[in-house]
């Protein structure tokens, strides 16, 4: 990821319009900003959220609150708690997420 042409700025995430994204079960609520082609999101998963797809996009993801389980297509599973993160490149390893108790995430892709 190369960051160019982005002047210094701040974001008050509470002022960004929230969009709804239905999972296989539960909901994901995104607040999204685009900075010169870099998508930055504050995402909240409701308790019981299960992703409805395998994702092959690269991300840097930080768990801010709650607990997130990420499964890779090869069957490996990783659990993130608040303060933990993961990173994966585009088309590197397909992954999908779920949460029992809910989670709040900060994602850059």
């Amino acid at each position: 990821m190369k960051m160019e042409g982005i002047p210094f700025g701040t974001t008050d995430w509470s002022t960004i319009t929230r969009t709804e994204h239905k999972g296989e079960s539960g909901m994901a609520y995104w607040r999204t900003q685009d900075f010169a082609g870099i998508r930055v999101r504050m995402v909240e998963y409701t308790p019981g959220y299960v992703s409805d797809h395998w994702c092959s996009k690269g991300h840097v993801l930080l768990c801010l609150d709650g607990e997130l389980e990420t499964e890779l297509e090869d069957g490996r599973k990783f659990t993130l708690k608040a303060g933990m993160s993961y990173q994966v490149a585009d088309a590197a390893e397909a992954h999908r997420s779920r949460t029992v108790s809910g989670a709040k995430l900060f994602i850059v892709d």
Side-chain angles (χ1 to χ4, degrees):
M1 171 177 8
K2 190 168 185 169
M3 297 176 67
E4 293 182 325
I6 305 170
F8 180 86
T10 63
T11 303
D12 177 350
W13 289 98
S14 68
T15 67
I16 306 301
T17 302
R18 184 174 89 160
T19 58
E20 295 184 354
H21 304 266
K22 199 169 196 127
E24 187 176 292
S25 66
M27 293 291 292
Y29 299 104
W30 299 8
R31 296 179 192 271
T32 306
Q33 291 283 81
D34 184 273
F35 301 103
I38 298 171
R39 182 173 65 170
V40 180
R41 294 177 285 159
M42 189 74 71
V43 175
E44 294 179 55
Y45 290 151
T46 61
Y49 174 83
V50 177
S51 177
D52 66 351
H53 68 284
W54 288 97
C55 179
S56 58
K57 183 154 183 56
H59 314 283
V60 175
L61 180 149
L62 172 64
C63 182
L64 299 171
D65 192 33
E67 186 170 292
L68 178 75
E69 180 183 278
T70 299
E71 178 183 9
L72 302 186
E73 205 166 29
D74 66 10
R76 290 180 290 157
K77 295 180 180 178
F78 301 88
T79 300
L80 298 183
K81 296 180 180 183
M84 297 176 70
S85 65
Y86 76 70
Q87 56 285 325
V88 63
D90 288 332
E93 296 175 279
H95 50 279
R96 65 181 174 187
S97 297
R98 68 177 54 228
T99 178
V100 171
S101 59
K104 186 172 186 177
L105 314 168
F106 185 79
I107 306 171
V108 179
D109 51 29

